[in-house]
């Protein structure tokens, strides 16, 4: 009788019970929907709204990227820098926030407008959530999102981190005291590493089942130097890089994700101009020569946050693509620094993050009590990796305890 009972309970745990370990999704740079409420006295263009009665989607609302409207977008998104306080603040009259913390709506799609959801190019965590739901996971209960203001770096995400910790503890509790799997993409990985580095080992032992890192930026990415210098067209031909540059270079997250001297040698040229070359050791001059000294302050504020890439102290599954042309150095034409779009020297990576940075997780092997598993998805690009069926399958194997 007793034997039968044990057999039955094992059977139930193994195969019938739907969700095993609940999941929290942590988005990357640009991966959380943002909403803004406006009460502005000035705007760069007569087309720009100055007042709204409620919070309205600002990122990513594809309409906001249309040629003239983009000036309004940039003015609303651009952070201001206070160099005495070493912190950033919103444009005057702009109140900006994420929404649905703990739910998944702010991280499944980049654009909240359902009309755009026929295009797979702006889906974000949706394919993964869809697969988990088909296994019995429930949005907001056993699969949850931790959106944050991705313009900021960990030094300014204090409130987010408090909520993130509460979310993990609550998710554990409402799922029958089951440990939680953290699934992060891109910048969500260093943001989570910073968090885990600050938690006591006993807390991590109790609450974290695994840290599934997808396309993690462990040592920065050369692409950020383009956001800082010429501005980046976001791969959208209609976007004029110079127009979006003020917003891109003012984000502490851009500075946070610059290549680090733990991953690049002082001999490697990252930015080449007619007058001089810049390496990972030359950021001060790089910003001075562009007359953008706030940029260097932002870099100083953020460069030490995960600099040593300290092991997270939890079971790790490090997943990423490779074999995609990725910016490895920028070459500006004579007289063209920094306002001309540079030529890109490409190297290996996932199209956004350089190979050496993606491989940063391997430094933890043997340096923590939990295993670090690694899997490369050949040819998988930085964003579209989230739509790969193999990624969903891998996640499912981890959260059902099979891997
Ligand atoms: C909008 O800002 C003005 C000051 O510029 C202030 O007097 C007014 O109360 C604000 N309105 C709202 C709805 O916050
Ligand atoms: C909750 O966990 C306990 C102990 O692990 C187990 O005995 C029980 O069956 C679980 N309940 C559900 C609803 O999964
Ligand atoms: C910059 O580096 C390139 C190759 O890395 C070299 O050919 C060039 O002479 C250097 N330019 C300057 C100004 O040092
Ligand atoms: C930076 O400012 C100096 C002095 O105002 C000016 O001569 C120089 O051309 C500027 N450089 C750039 C890259 O804008």
């Amino acid at each position: 009788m007793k034997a039968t009972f044990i057999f039955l309970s094992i059977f139930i745990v193994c195969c019938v019970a739907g969700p095993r370990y609940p999941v929290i999704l942590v988005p990357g740079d640009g991966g959380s929907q943002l909403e803004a409420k406006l009460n502005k006295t000035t705007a760069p263009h007569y087309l720009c709204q100055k007042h709204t009665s409620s919070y309205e989607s600002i990122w990513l609302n594809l309409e906001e990227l249309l040629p003239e409207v983009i000036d309004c977008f940039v003015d609303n998104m651009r952070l201001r820098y206070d160099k005495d306080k070493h912190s950033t603040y919103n444009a005057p009259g702009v109140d900006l926030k994420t929404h649905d913390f703990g739910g998944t709506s702010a991280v499944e799609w980049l654009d909240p407008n359902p009309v755009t959801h026929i295009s797979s190019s702006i889906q974000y965590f949706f394919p993964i959530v869809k697969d988990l739901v088909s296994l019995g996971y429930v949005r907001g209960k056993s699969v949850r999102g931790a959106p944050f203001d991705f313009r900021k770096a960990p030094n300014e995400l204090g409130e987010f981190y408090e909520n993130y910790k509460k979310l993990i503890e609550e998710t554990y509790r409402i799922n029958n005291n089951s440990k939680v799997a953290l699934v992060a993409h891109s910048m969500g990985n260093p943001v989570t590493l910073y968090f885990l580095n600050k938690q006591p080992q006993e807390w991590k032992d109790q609450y974290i089942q695994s840290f599934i890192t997808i396309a993690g930026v462990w040592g920065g990415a050369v692409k950020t130097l383009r956001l800082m210098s010429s501005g980046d067209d976001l791969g959208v031909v209609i976007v004029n890089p110079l127009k979006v540059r003020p917003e891109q270079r003012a984000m502490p997250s851009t500075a946070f994700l610059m290549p680090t001297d733990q991953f690049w040698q002082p001999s490697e040229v990252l930015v080449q101009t007619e007058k001089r070359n810049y390496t990972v050791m030359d950021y001060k001059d790089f910003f001075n020569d562009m007359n953008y000294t706030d940029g260097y302050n932002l870099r100083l504020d953020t460069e030490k946050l995960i600099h040593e890439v300290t092991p997270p102290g939890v079971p790790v599954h490090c997943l990423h693509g490779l074999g995609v042309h990725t910016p490895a150095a920028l070459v500006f034409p004579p007289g063209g620094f920094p306002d001309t779009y540079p030529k890109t020297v490409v190297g290996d990576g996932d199209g956004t993050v350089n190979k050496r940075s993606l491989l940063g997780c391997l430094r933890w092997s043997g340096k923590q009590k939990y295993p670090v598993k690694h899997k490369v998805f050949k040819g998988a690009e930085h964003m579209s990796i989230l739509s790969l069926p193999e990624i969903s399958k891998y996640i499912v194997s981890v959260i059902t305890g099979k891997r």
Side-chain angles (χ1 to χ4, degrees), residues 114-128:
V115 171
T116 64
H117 293 181
I118 44 169
S119 158
S120 63
S121 67
I122 55 164
Q123 63 188 17
Y124 195 52
F125 278 119
F126 171 72
I128 292 171

Side-chain angles (χ1 to χ4, degrees), residues 66-113:
L66 293 175
E68 273 146 349
V69 187
I70 199 160
D71 297 338
C72 319
F73 165 80
V74 167
D75 194 54
N76 292 338
M77 281 281 281
R78 183 167 69 85
L79 286 164
R80 276 55 171 176
Y81 183 66
D82 182 333
K83 45 173 169 312
D84 300 321
K85 291 194 185 136
H86 296 279
S87 64
T88 54
Y89 56 97
N90 282 324
V94 177
D95 185 8
L96 204 143
K97 63 174 187 66
T98 58
H99 65 102
D100 196 19
F101 191 82
T104 58
S105 67
V107 302
E108 286 197 55
W109 297 90
L110 297 178
D111 186 332
N113 182 353

Side-chain angles (χ1 to χ4, degrees), residues 275 288-292 337-339:
K275 290 209 188 89
N288 269 335
D289 296 348
M290 295 192 286
N291 288 342
Y292 185 53
F337 179 73
D339 293 344

Side-chain angles (χ1 to χ4, degrees), residues 37 39-41 51:
K37 194 167 146 184
N39 181 18
K40 303 172 68 173
T41 50
H51 303 274

Side-chain angles (χ1 to χ4, degrees), residues 11 28 35 48 63 72 85 113 177 199 218 238 242 244 265 268 270 285 289 312 314 316 322 365 369 379 394:
F11 181 75
E35 296 179 335
C48 301
E63 288 170 25
C72 319
K85 291 194 185 136
N113 182 353
N177 293 347
Q199 305 310 314
W218 306 115
I238 54 161
L242 281 180
V244 287
Q265 299 296 322
E268 295 176 279
L270 300 180
D285 292 345
D289 296 348
V314 299
V316 171
L322 275 185
S365 290
K369 66 174 175 174
Y394 192 104

